[in-house]
Amino acid sequence: MTEHSARRPAQDEDRRTDRELVYAAREGDMDAFDALFYRYRDGIFRLGLAITKDPSAAEEIAVDTFTRAHRALARLEPEGSLRPWLYRVAVNLSYNRRPRKNVILSPLEDSANDTLQSEERSPSALAEQAEVRRLVLAAVDTLGPKHRIVVVLHYMNGLNLAEIAQVVDCPIGTVKSRLHYALRRLRTHLSAHPEFGIEPAALLAPSSRRTVAPVVEPLPGEPQ
Amino acid sequence: MRSFPVACRAAEQKMTELFTGELRPRERLELEAHADGCARCDAALRDLATISVALDRAYAPLRMRGTLLSPARVRLAARAEPTNSIPWWRVGFVGRLSEATMALGFAALVLGGSLDLAVKPDGTPSAPASVSVSSPSIIREYMRTQPPYEETAYLRWLRFQLRVIGAVSAPAVRYPAGGQFDVEQLSNEDDRLTHGVPR
């Protein structure tokens, strides 16, 4: 046989659906379980990294997530993708995790530079981008866990509203309003920085107008 | 300035969908029409779009990060878990038994000063006899189920595994392509780390 066919199918080349893989793994096919592992390990690792900011903790979370999946194989019934189940476990593990002591956490910074340097930019533009990025991520950290996880799941893991709803086990409407609330909070936070071009004056309007909403339209000549 | 709160709230809902790319063209037109006539929603739309793009860019480097985790680690961890063959009504009992045995073993350790002397200080020969036999294995079991965080300590832990327990159980397990590295490292007996027992 050729080289190609001799290669193992484990590394994300398995074309079977999650459901088929789960059923195969239940029968004892460990290659099927490995295929699931390769398919989702990076997403779960990133999710854990975005929440804990600690690469080794993120790896630990990935291992724990799949260990739970392995233990739960007999009762897993994925309709489409196994991703919502895995992500939900990973989110819970990430938030229930106690942060390790004496660890200096700066993993989100070092990776920023190598990707940005690949584009051809001037050093000042690069520095400005890195600064904006730092500001945005710091602002996300000020959000509460419920709102932060929605932001992370959408902007980092690229899940849409329905998928996020499955992960956090909420109606889509709730996810929508949480995301909107998170964006509004970020707007308030980032308006202090002129880099974003957000006018602070425009921010005061929403809350005041919402509380005293006009019942009738003001007449054209009426002041205010 | 001419705006209705209900319309604004509907527009806010649509904005979120717009940023997630799930807004239908017709609703998008409605949103734009509303934003044209409502300064507040217009400003909100502009600012939130800026933030949405900034968030997308901020997470871009993180999206490219991956891990080289091997499925062997999951297998090791899964093997250390209690197996599914234990019925649920016995899990609690077994768990409590091992805890109690552990506690007894620890008490004996404290009293006797060492594991070898553990039986003698207690007057009753029957119960502590089983303690002195089973407690080292429980400690070993504990070591086995607690993989350390750091990479070097983890490798050391893996070596300990194969030397102490794995020598019996490892040949029965098929390792995947990704796991062979671990096994090769494990069998490297002349390494001086082999003599170190993880704390």
Side-chain angles (χ1 to χ4, degrees):
Chain A
M1 291 292 242
T2 59
E3 273 183 336
H4 184 76
S5 59
R7 272 165 61 196
R8 295 173 58 84
Q11 298 262 0
D12 211 21
E13 293 166 18
D14 208 315
R15 293 266 165 243
R16 284 180 283 181
T17 64
D18 286 2
R19 191 183 177 82
E20 288 164 351
L21 288 174
V22 165
Y23 281 133
R26 197 177 294 174
E27 301 298 318
D29 178 3
M30 279 312 272
D31 285 343
F33 191 76
D34 288 353
L36 281 173
F37 179 80
Y38 286 122
R39 193 173 283 179
Y40 293 117
R41 69 171 175 182
D42 283 342
I44 291 171
F45 172 73
R46 285 177 209 139
L47 185 56
L49 189 58
I51 299 171
T52 62
K53 308 200 172 32
D54 179 354
S56 54
E59 292 198 340
E60 194 81 1
I61 286 163
V63 169
D64 286 354
T65 304
F66 280 100
T67 310
R68 291 197 181 194
H70 188 267
R71 208 192 316 164
L73 268 180
R75 56 197 162 80
L76 279 182
E77 290 290 340
E79 284 154 22
S81 161
L82 191 60
R83 188 165 63 176
W85 191 92
L86 290 171
Y87 277 24
R88 193 191 304 183
V89 172
V91 167
N92 287 333
L93 285 172
S94 307
Y95 277 118
N96 293 336
R97 192 179 177 81
R98 208 168 286 193
R100 287 192 292 149
K101 284 173 188 166
N102 307 325
V103 179
I104 299 162
L105 301 175
S106 59
L108 303 184
E109 300 301 319
D110 54 32
S111 65
N113 300 326
D114 21 336
T115 43
L116 290 174
Q117 270 160 13
S118 60
E119 303 168 26
E120 295 189 7
R121 296 270 170 82
S122 69
S124 62
L126 282 178
E128 195 184 329
Q129 274 206 338
E131 174 65 10
V132 165
R133 181 162 182 272
R134 197 188 58 75
L135 285 174
V136 171
L137 292 180
V140 172
D141 280 344
T142 63
L143 297 172
K146 269 194 252 172
H147 297 99
R148 187 156 32 126
I149 193 61
V150 175
V151 169
V152 167
L153 283 173
H154 176 63
Y155 286 100
M156 199 198 55
N157 289 93
L159 268 60
N160 63 26
L161 291 172
E163 288 166 333
I164 297 172
Q166 279 185 308
V167 173
V168 299
D169 206 13
C170 279
I172 292 186
T174 311
V175 174
K176 224 185 276 183
S177 61
R178 278 185 195 169
L179 188 54
H180 188 77
Y181 175 83
L183 289 175
R184 273 204 343 245
R185 280 286 303 275
L186 291 178
R187 184 192 187 194
T188 319
H189 264 278
L190 297 175
S191 65
H193 304 281
E195 294 96 321
F196 294 93
I198 298 166
E199 309 106 59
L203 297 173
L204 301 174
S207 53
S208 61
R209 278 191 74 92
R210 170 160 294 185
T211 45
V212 279
V215 182
V216 281
E217 273 187 78
L219 291 171
E222 201 176 338
Q224 219 206 359
Chain B
M1 273 314 192
R2 143 186 319 206
S3 65
F4 296 99
V6 176
C8 288
R9 210 159 300 155
E12 283 176 358
Q13 292 261 319
K14 282 178 193 151
M15 271 182 227
T16 319
E17 286 178 82
L18 177 70
F19 300 143
T20 60
E22 295 170 63
L23 195 63
R24 279 169 296 181
R26 188 183 153 183
E27 288 179 312
R28 186 176 178 148
L29 287 177
E30 284 171 11
L31 175 61
E32 281 169 7
H34 174 76
D36 276 346
C38 174
R40 179 165 86 80
C41 287
D42 192 40
L45 187 57
R46 234 189 4 246
D47 289 350
L48 296 189
T50 309
I51 287 169
S52 188
V53 171
L55 276 172
D56 200 47
R57 286 199 189 147
Y59 279 115
L62 205 57
R63 271 199 295 270
M64 294 180 197
R65 278 189 78 152
T67 173
L68 294 172
L69 268 184
S70 149
R73 268 187 74 169
V74 175
R75 292 186 185 188
L76 274 174
R79 215 150 40 101
E81 297 283 332
T83 55
N84 285 335
S85 58
I86 298 177
W88 60 268
W89 61 86
R90 282 187 57 197
V91 170
F93 171 67
V94 171
R96 232 163 285 145
L97 182 69
S98 68
E99 269 171 39
T101 323
M102 186 91 172
L104 270 174
F106 185 69
L109 185 70
V110 170
L111 282 174
S114 83
L115 279 176
D116 298 333
L117 298 172
V119 189
K120 286 168 186 168
D122 299 43
T124 53
S126 62
S130 69
V131 168
S132 67
V133 170
S134 59
S135 53
S137 76
I138 284 170
I139 292 168
R140 220 181 295 150
E141 187 64 26
Y142 176 73
M143 296 295 298
R144 200 161 72 86
T145 53
Q146 302 287 319
Y149 294 124
E150 292 78 14
E151 250 351 275
T152 50
Y154 177 69
L155 276 176
R156 204 193 281 171
W157 172 79
L158 276 177
R159 288 193 183 112
F160 174 78
Q161 288 258 331
L162 195 76
R163 206 156 50 87
V164 180
I165 312 136
V168 187
S169 55
V173 179
R174 285 187 302 125
Y175 281 91
Q180 275 169 6
F181 173 72
D182 282 350
V183 176
E184 279 163 22
Q185 288 290 308
L186 278 166
S187 55
N188 192 4
E189 280 292 331
D190 54 0
D191 196 308
R192 65 182 176 84
L193 278 175
T194 322
H195 302 292
V197 174
R199 285 173 291 132

